[in-house]
Amino acid sequence: MTIKAWPQETAFLNALFKRRWSAEHKLSIYRFGAEAEAIPLSDLQGMVEGVAAWLTSLGLQRHDRIGILSSNRLEYVLLDLAALRLGLVTACFDPASFAQETDLVEKYGLKQLFLDTRVASPRSGADHVLPIERVLEEAGKERDRDSAEPVTYAPEDISTIKFTSGSTGIAKGLGATVGSIEQSLRSTQKLFSHGPGDTLLVFLPLSLLQQRYWVYSAILYWHDIVITDSRLALEAIQREHPTVIMGVPAFFDTLKEYIEMSAGAGSPRASAIDVLGDRLRYLWTGSAAARPDTLEFFEVTCGVPIFEGYGLNETCITTKNHPGAHKRGSVGKPLDGVRVEIDAEGQIRVSRDHPVNTRYLFAPDGASEKVFMADGSVATGDLGYIDDEGFLYVMGRADDVVVLANGKTISVRPLEEAILRLPEVKQAMVFGTGRPVLASLVCPAPGTNPDAVKRAVQQATRGFGSEAVELVIPVADGFSEGAGLLTSQGKLRRRAITEHYHQAIQEAYGDQS
């Protein structure tokens, strides 16, 4: 089936609600404590109209701001689509970052907050808080449904507010323009041609706008989509046999271990087919650096393409490896309508035909001016370079540079990559600002002797000369999102990690500190 291109003058949100949704393709939902559900997209459309009518009956009008604080579930999808239908602005809060905040209604100017009672229970603004569980109940009620045409969006309109993962400790809010969302969807579709026959698996939080893209893509391009969370991802994979799996590098590290364990002394390639099914087209990863051995395992050992990409909240999807242009270790080439440059300090600058925005909506004073430049570009804070073929390589955050006590500056990412290549190592973070020598917190691979890990790390970094890691601190529990040491996208919360292991770090440096 051929999907016609959108008219250039029509925003995707306008096209989304001006067509009948496919009866042949479905949304599947996997949740703890509930049977998996499979809903034809045509039925989903009727449910969305019901929720939109309910929201209207609550007195919500175009441009009103509503909040969603929830785990991944059907009600989330219904609310998001109904809000788009009515022109409401959604503020989508990641439970891992916002579950303990009690003043969301007042702080973010919400007319209504829809709350998953399993993940949080704010204690203020109660008159404006509804349990998200109500959404499914209201979707099925008979009522006079709004027969008005769906709202019409202009490219500069805001449909949702994105929040940073808070890796620096402060979550900043950013209004995402419709034009930027449409540009990302179109350019991604051009690279991957998702359509009938595809099943896309999503398990990262729906609070991340990019994860909701794939719901819009299913409606527009007629493919199936499966939504769950990371705890049920493997079950969903083995039951649904998706053609595309979206995930952060840490998930694929775990998936690699599971496939290897399942293979035993047998063939990892055969085991990958047993685990992933025989329909898989490719794996999509980003948000953090992937381990080189994980990339090689899937691409070479298992014969499964895994494509890294790059982007920030402030830039959306910026570069992507894809079937037509793929170089392992890079994060790909810029998407259509995106321009990437490296400034004099080696920092990556990004410009878009349709910017995500030109300033933060919620952030400390001065934060916007540090990121959104007068020329329209975004200063990403990441260091990188572009090779002769146009592929971008990310070398780490500018603030990942360690300044030792002697004034020497060192970028820690190459060291961390070298350490993560070791089979003895599962996780690692290199640090040392203000200290005489570099150190690394290391989570050993299961069954590995801590002393062997120390020797392996020191040997692996010896080739960096004076930048070698001298102190190795094994940590048995490692870094997890639940402990507040990783973001929901698997990025290191460096400050939180150093605070968490403060005592072990002090003991390791001893007299050297």
Side-chain angles (χ1 to χ4, degrees):
M1 181 179 298
T2 301
I3 304 297
K4 293 183 179 179
W6 295 322
Q8 289 298 312
E9 69 276 5
T10 303
F12 88 95
L13 292 183
N14 303 335
L16 197 67
F17 296 101
K18 292 182 178 177
R19 62 183 293 181
R20 294 296 302 168
W21 298 357
S22 171
E24 288 77 38
H25 299 92
K26 64 184 184 297
L27 164 71
S28 297
I29 300 282
Y30 285 74
R31 289 187 61 223
F32 274 107
E35 290 293 323
E37 299 178 74
I39 303 168
L41 296 182
S42 55
D43 290 355
L44 185 71
Q45 185 172 25
M47 298 171 75
V48 168
E49 293 292 339
V51 175
W54 175 53
L55 296 179
T56 300
S57 74
L58 295 177
L60 294 168
Q61 302 176 18
R62 183 167 190 181
H63 304 306
D64 283 348
R65 187 179 300 157
I66 66 171
I68 307 175
L69 175 56
S70 174
S71 58
N72 288 2
R73 54 193 299 165
L74 175 58
E75 293 91 336
Y76 204 130
V77 176
L78 293 172
L79 260 181
D80 181 61
L81 291 171
L84 292 176
R85 169 72 170 76
L86 297 174
L88 306 178
V89 177
T90 55
C92 297
F93 303 104
D94 179 5
S97 300
F98 290 93
Q100 302 306 314
E101 291 206 20
T102 61
D103 60 347
L104 293 176
V105 172
E106 296 86 351
K107 184 175 181 179
Y108 296 105
L110 306 178
K111 290 294 182 70
Q112 198 75 57
L113 171 63
F114 296 91
L115 181 72
D116 185 337
T117 56
R118 293 188 178 188
V119 300
S121 54
R123 297 184 293 274
S124 65
D127 293 342
H128 299 276
V129 178
L130 284 171
I132 200 170
E133 292 85 351
R134 280 275 305 277
V135 172
L136 195 56
E137 175 187 342
E138 298 293 340
K141 284 186 177 179
E142 289 296 327
R143 55 166 46 92
D144 292 333
R145 302 198 175 190
D146 188 1
S147 60
E149 286 290 308
V151 298
T152 300
Y153 290 90
E156 64 273 15
D157 286 339
I158 303 298
S159 67
T160 191
I161 299 171
K162 303 196 289 184
F163 293 93
T164 65
S165 58
S167 60
T168 60
I170 300 175
K172 298 183 284 290
L174 181 72
T177 61
V178 169
S180 70
I181 298 171
E182 178 178 355
Q183 179 182 329
S184 295
L185 273 170
R186 288 188 182 184
S187 54
T188 301
Q189 178 66 10
K190 182 177 179 179
L191 298 181
F192 293 100
S193 301
H194 301 132
D198 273 321
T199 300
L200 275 62
L201 175 69
V202 170
F203 60 83
L204 295 178
L206 290 174
S207 55
L208 301 171
L209 175 58
Q210 185 178 318
Q211 305 311 302
R212 306 199 302 277
Y213 280 1
W214 310 120
V215 177
Y216 313 152
S217 174
I219 295 167
L220 288 164
Y221 299 120
W222 292 13
H223 59 74
D224 292 338
I225 181 168
V226 179
I227 293 178
T228 185
D229 67 31
S230 58
R231 296 169 298 174
L232 292 176
L234 185 58
E235 177 185 342
I237 288 170
Q238 294 182 314
R239 289 178 59 178
E240 299 286 343
H241 290 171
T243 59
V244 180
I245 300 174
M246 314 283 179
V248 294
F251 171 78
F252 292 116
D253 294 341
T254 302
L255 188 61
K256 169 181 176 288
E257 293 174 4
Y258 182 81
I259 291 171
E260 289 175 324
M261 180 182 67
S262 300
S267 164
R269 185 173 292 229
S271 177
I273 293 174
D274 288 341
V275 172
L276 304 175
D278 58 1
R279 299 201 307 137
L280 193 64
R281 285 176 55 195
Y282 70 92
L283 308 175
W284 169 301
T285 192
S287 301
R291 291 178 59 124
D293 61 316
T294 296
L295 295 175
E296 183 176 1
F297 174 79
F298 283 107
E299 291 178 0
V300 179
T301 305
C302 298
V304 175
I306 179 168
F307 298 124
E308 281 195 279
Y310 172 73
L312 311 175
N313 261 349
E314 295 82 356
T315 66
C316 203
I317 307 171
T318 297
T319 62
K320 191 70 186 174
N321 282 290
H322 58 91
H326 180 206
K327 185 178 284 190
R328 195 190 319 155
S330 80
V331 291
K333 294 184 176 182
L335 275 66
D336 280 356
V338 179
R339 292 164 297 284
V340 176
E341 298 177 334
I342 309 299
D343 68 16
E345 286 73 42
Q347 183 180 192
I348 299 168
R349 295 281 190 96
V350 177
S351 304
R352 294 173 54 98
D353 289 350
H354 291 285
V356 174
N357 212 306
T358 57
R359 65 179 299 103
Y360 293 114
L361 187 60
F362 300 101
D365 291 341
S368 293
E369 290 73 16
K370 293 179 181 179
V371 174
F372 300 99
M373 302 291 100
D375 64 359
S377 67
V378 171
T380 65
D382 288 321
L383 302 175
Y385 69 92
I386 301 171
D387 72 9
D388 293 341
E389 297 179 81
F391 287 87
L392 175 66
Y393 291 77
V394 179
M395 304 307 294
R397 296 286 297 169
D399 52 13
D400 288 347
V401 172
V402 165
V403 182
L404 295 178
N406 62 8
K408 184 177 180 60
T409 60
I410 300 169
S411 177
V412 300
R413 178 161 175 175
L415 287 159
E416 289 174 343
E417 289 181 345
I419 295 170
L420 289 172
R421 291 190 190 100
L422 298 171
E424 297 90 347
V425 174
K426 185 174 182 180
Q427 294 174 307
M429 188 188 83
V430 176
F431 60 97
T433 292
R435 306 280 190 171
V437 296
L438 285 178
S440 179
L441 289 160
V442 174
C443 177
T448 304
N449 181 284
D451 290 334
V453 172
K454 289 183 179 181
R455 291 192 296 270
V457 170
Q458 290 169 337
Q459 178 65 33
T461 62
R462 197 162 292 159
F464 291 84
S466 61
E467 298 179 3
V469 171
E470 293 195 23
L471 297 177
V472 181
I473 308 168
V475 289
D477 48 344
F479 319 135
S480 69
E481 181 184 351
L485 306 183
L486 297 177
T487 71
S488 60
Q489 300 177 68
K491 296 179 182 177
L492 299 173
R493 294 184 186 269
R494 293 181 183 272
R495 185 186 307 168
I497 290 170
T498 53
E499 291 174 356
H500 184 79
Y501 292 106
H502 174 75
Q503 186 63 36
I505 291 170
Q506 288 298 100
E507 292 175 359
Y509 275 102
D511 294 339
Q512 296 187 63
S513 60

Short mmCIF file of all heavy atoms in Angstrom, two decimals, residues 305-327:
data_model
loop_
_atom_site.label_atom_id
_atom_site.label_comp_id
_atom_site.label_asym_id
_atom_site.label_seq_id
_atom_site.Cartn_x
_atom_site.Cartn_y
_atom_site.Cartn_z
N PRO A 305 20.77 -5.23 12.17
CA PRO A 305 21.19 -3.82 12.13
C PRO A 305 20.76 -3.09 13.40
O PRO A 305 19.64 -3.25 13.87
CB PRO A 305 20.46 -3.25 10.91
CG PRO A 305 20.08 -4.43 10.09
CD PRO A 305 19.84 -5.54 11.07
N ILE A 306 21.68 -2.31 13.97
CA ILE A 306 21.35 -1.46 15.11
C ILE A 306 21.86 -0.07 14.78
O ILE A 306 23.05 0.12 14.52
CB ILE A 306 21.93 -2.01 16.43
CG1 ILE A 306 21.59 -1.08 17.60
CG2 ILE A 306 23.41 -2.30 16.34
CD1 ILE A 306 21.88 -1.68 18.98
N PHE A 307 20.96 0.89 14.74
CA PHE A 307 21.26 2.23 14.24
C PHE A 307 21.27 3.25 15.38
O PHE A 307 20.26 3.47 16.03
CB PHE A 307 20.25 2.66 13.19
CG PHE A 307 20.24 1.79 11.96
CD1 PHE A 307 19.08 1.18 11.54
CD2 PHE A 307 21.40 1.59 11.22
CE1 PHE A 307 19.05 0.39 10.40
CE2 PHE A 307 21.40 0.79 10.08
CZ PHE A 307 20.22 0.19 9.67
N GLU A 308 22.44 3.83 15.61
CA GLU A 308 22.55 4.91 16.60
C GLU A 308 22.13 6.23 15.98
O GLU A 308 22.29 6.46 14.79
CB GLU A 308 23.99 5.04 17.10
CG GLU A 308 24.40 4.03 18.13
CD GLU A 308 25.68 4.43 18.83
OE1 GLU A 308 26.76 4.19 18.25
OE2 GLU A 308 25.60 4.99 19.93
N GLY A 309 21.63 7.12 16.83
CA GLY A 309 21.28 8.46 16.41
C GLY A 309 21.62 9.45 17.49
O GLY A 309 22.13 9.10 18.56
N TYR A 310 21.31 10.71 17.22
CA TYR A 310 21.67 11.79 18.15
C TYR A 310 20.60 12.87 18.13
O TYR A 310 20.03 13.18 17.07
CB TYR A 310 23.01 12.39 17.74
CG TYR A 310 23.40 13.63 18.51
CD1 TYR A 310 23.81 13.55 19.84
CD2 TYR A 310 23.37 14.89 17.90
CE1 TYR A 310 24.17 14.69 20.55
CE2 TYR A 310 23.73 16.03 18.60
CZ TYR A 310 24.13 15.93 19.93
OH TYR A 310 24.48 17.05 20.62
N GLY A 311 20.34 13.41 19.29
CA GLY A 311 19.41 14.52 19.39
C GLY A 311 19.21 14.90 20.85
O GLY A 311 19.54 14.13 21.76
N LEU A 312 18.70 16.08 21.07
CA LEU A 312 18.39 16.57 22.40
C LEU A 312 16.94 17.02 22.43
O LEU A 312 16.30 17.18 21.38
CB LEU A 312 19.28 17.78 22.76
CG LEU A 312 20.79 17.67 22.55
CD1 LEU A 312 21.44 19.02 22.87
CD2 LEU A 312 21.37 16.61 23.46
N ASN A 313 16.41 17.28 23.62
CA ASN A 313 15.10 17.88 23.71
C ASN A 313 15.04 19.17 22.89
O ASN A 313 14.04 19.48 22.23
CB ASN A 313 14.76 18.21 25.16
CG ASN A 313 13.87 17.16 25.80
OD1 ASN A 313 13.32 16.29 25.12
ND2 ASN A 313 13.70 17.25 27.10
N GLU A 314 16.14 19.92 22.93
CA GLU A 314 16.17 21.23 22.29
C GLU A 314 16.30 21.15 20.78
O GLU A 314 16.07 22.15 20.07
CB GLU A 314 17.34 22.06 22.86
CG GLU A 314 17.19 22.41 24.32
CD GLU A 314 17.63 21.30 25.28
OE1 GLU A 314 17.98 20.19 24.81
OE2 GLU A 314 17.63 21.55 26.50
N THR A 315 16.70 19.99 20.25
CA THR A 315 16.92 19.85 18.80
C THR A 315 16.06 18.79 18.15
O THR A 315 15.99 18.71 16.94
CB THR A 315 18.39 19.49 18.52
OG1 THR A 315 18.67 18.18 19.05
CG2 THR A 315 19.34 20.51 19.13
N CYS A 316 15.45 17.93 18.95
CA CYS A 316 14.76 16.75 18.48
C CYS A 316 15.74 15.84 17.73
O CYS A 316 16.96 15.98 17.88
CB CYS A 316 13.55 17.12 17.61
SG CYS A 316 12.30 15.82 17.55
N ILE A 317 15.25 14.91 16.91
CA ILE A 317 16.15 13.99 16.21
C ILE A 317 17.03 14.79 15.25
O ILE A 317 16.52 15.50 14.39
CB ILE A 317 15.36 12.93 15.43
CG1 ILE A 317 14.36 12.22 16.35
CG2 ILE A 317 16.29 11.90 14.81
CD1 ILE A 317 13.40 11.31 15.62
N THR A 318 18.32 14.67 15.40
CA THR A 318 19.26 15.51 14.64
C THR A 318 19.99 14.72 13.57
O THR A 318 20.02 15.10 12.40
CB THR A 318 20.27 16.16 15.61
OG1 THR A 318 19.56 17.02 16.51
CG2 THR A 318 21.32 16.96 14.85
N THR A 319 20.61 13.61 13.97
CA THR A 319 21.31 12.74 13.03
C THR A 319 20.88 11.31 13.28
O THR A 319 20.45 10.95 14.38
CB THR A 319 22.83 12.84 13.19
OG1 THR A 319 23.20 12.39 14.51
CG2 THR A 319 23.33 14.26 12.98
N LYS A 320 21.01 10.47 12.25
CA LYS A 320 20.62 9.07 12.41
C LYS A 320 21.33 8.21 11.39
O LYS A 320 21.39 8.54 10.21
CB LYS A 320 19.10 8.92 12.23
CG LYS A 320 18.56 7.55 12.64
CD LYS A 320 18.62 7.36 14.15
CE LYS A 320 18.22 5.96 14.56
NZ LYS A 320 18.41 5.73 16.00
N ASN A 321 21.89 7.10 11.87
CA ASN A 321 22.29 6.04 10.95
C ASN A 321 21.03 5.37 10.44
O ASN A 321 20.01 5.30 11.13
CB ASN A 321 23.16 5.02 11.67
CG ASN A 321 24.60 5.48 11.86
OD1 ASN A 321 25.35 5.58 10.91
ND2 ASN A 321 24.97 5.77 13.11
N HIS A 322 21.09 4.85 9.22
CA HIS A 322 19.91 4.21 8.63
C HIS A 322 20.38 3.28 7.52
O HIS A 322 21.58 3.25 7.18
CB HIS A 322 18.94 5.27 8.11
CG HIS A 322 19.52 6.21 7.09
ND1 HIS A 322 19.46 5.96 5.73
CD2 HIS A 322 20.19 7.38 7.23
CE1 HIS A 322 20.06 6.94 5.08
NE2 HIS A 322 20.51 7.82 5.96
N PRO A 323 19.48 2.50 6.93
CA PRO A 323 19.92 1.51 5.94
C PRO A 323 20.70 2.11 4.77
O PRO A 323 21.56 1.44 4.19
CB PRO A 323 18.60 0.88 5.46
CG PRO A 323 17.69 1.02 6.64
CD PRO A 323 18.04 2.34 7.25
N GLY A 324 20.44 3.36 4.43
CA GLY A 324 21.12 3.95 3.28
C GLY A 324 22.45 4.60 3.61
O GLY A 324 23.23 4.92 2.70
N ALA A 325 22.74 4.81 4.89
CA ALA A 325 23.99 5.45 5.31
C ALA A 325 24.27 5.08 6.75
O ALA A 325 23.66 5.62 7.68
CB ALA A 325 23.89 6.97 5.16
N HIS A 326 25.21 4.15 6.94
CA HIS A 326 25.45 3.60 8.27
C HIS A 326 26.94 3.43 8.47
O HIS A 326 27.63 2.82 7.66
CB HIS A 326 24.74 2.24 8.40
CG HIS A 326 24.94 1.60 9.73
ND1 HIS A 326 24.88 0.23 9.91
CD2 HIS A 326 25.21 2.12 10.95
CE1 HIS A 326 25.09 -0.05 11.18
NE2 HIS A 326 25.30 1.06 11.84
N LYS A 327 27.44 4.00 9.56
CA LYS A 327 28.84 3.81 9.93
C LYS A 327 28.90 3.59 11.44
O LYS A 327 28.60 4.49 12.23
CB LYS A 327 29.68 5.02 9.53
CG LYS A 327 31.17 4.84 9.79
CD LYS A 327 31.98 6.05 9.33
CE LYS A 327 32.13 6.08 7.82
NZ LYS A 327 33.12 7.13 7.40
#
